[in-house]
Amino acid sequence: MRRIYLLLGLAVLISSSVAAQQPARKASGNSPAQSDLKPVYQRWLGEDVAYIITPEEKRAFLMLSSDDQREQFIDVFWRRRDTNPATRENEYRSEHYARIAYANQNFAFGDVAGWQTDRGRIYITHGKPDEIRKSTSGEVWLYRYAPGLGHNIEVEFVDVNGTGNYRLRLPNHP
């Protein structure tokens, strides 16, 4: 099985994670910063969809001027991702929130919520791995197929100092 470190995909995930965890700054013009939104919309942007919203979608959301527009945006956001629009339930949305709940329950470390950890981020964006192998330094998640990334993907997490704080191992890093 070939080892792919997912450089491009993981770099995007890491940069979006860092951006999601930093406070928004007010841009010039009339678009509000994320911190200017009601807490429910701050949470939606900064936690609920932090790993799946595109930069363009985020910019568009921040440009909206009313809560009604934001609610309509959120509705369209989920409908566009619905894997089976013929059903009442939005399977994509349900699966996404189930992944967040699983990550929070299983990958939290200290005061860090599970969705904010490296394992949580990968689990939320790619789902349950097909196999998990324990290694001397941590664990390796195997995905037979990950949409957008390819086949036979291995993602390695290192247990930092044996503390249970699993961090994504990037190429050229111990």
Side-chain angles (χ1 to χ4, degrees):
M1 185 178 297
R2 64 188 171 120
R3 176 163 298 212
I4 298 177
Y5 284 99
L6 318 173
L7 284 175
L8 184 57
L10 292 176
V12 169
L13 286 173
I14 290 168
S15 64
S16 67
S17 171
V18 169
Q21 293 174 17
Q22 293 179 354
R25 291 185 175 84
K26 192 159 192 154
S28 60
N30 293 332
S31 67
Q34 187 170 331
S35 61
D36 294 336
L37 298 172
K38 287 182 179 176
V40 66
Y41 301 118
Q42 288 179 26
R43 179 179 173 176
W44 187 78
L45 273 181
E47 294 180 28
D48 294 3
V49 298
Y51 302 138
I52 63 171
I53 194 167
T54 67
E56 295 80 17
E57 288 171 324
K58 186 172 183 177
R59 274 194 298 277
F61 187 82
L62 289 172
M63 295 293 292
L64 300 174
S65 58
S66 74
D67 290 348
D68 285 339
Q69 290 175 338
R70 290 179 189 98
E71 290 299 325
Q72 289 174 4
F73 180 98
I74 290 169
D75 183 54
V76 170
F77 176 90
W78 290 118
R79 273 194 278 132
R80 284 186 34 225
R81 288 165 170 78
D82 192 354
T83 55
N84 190 357
T87 63
R88 257 186 106 114
E89 179 183 10
N90 184 323
E91 293 81 7
Y92 181 91
R93 182 179 180 170
S94 297
E95 174 66 18
H96 179 72
Y97 281 104
R99 288 179 184 182
I100 291 172
Y102 184 89
N104 284 335
Q105 185 174 3
N106 294 283
F107 304 131
F109 178 77
D111 292 335
V112 179
W115 73 270
Q116 292 177 301
T117 65
D118 288 350
R119 290 188 300 170
R121 183 174 59 250
I122 297 300
Y123 187 89
I124 290 166
T125 56
H126 298 292
K128 180 180 178 183
D130 295 305
E131 184 181 334
I132 298 175
R133 285 192 324 235
K134 298 292 181 185
S135 69
T136 56
S137 61
E139 58 189 34
V140 177
W141 291 9
L142 306 159
Y143 290 92
R144 286 190 248 309
Y145 177 72
L149 298 176
H151 294 277
N152 300 324
I153 305 299
E154 293 185 359
V155 182
E156 186 173 0
F157 299 95
V158 177
D159 184 357
V160 178
N161 299 323
T163 61
N165 181 14
Y166 287 83
R167 301 300 309 230
L168 185 64
R169 176 176 277 176
L170 297 174
N172 302 323
H173 288 81

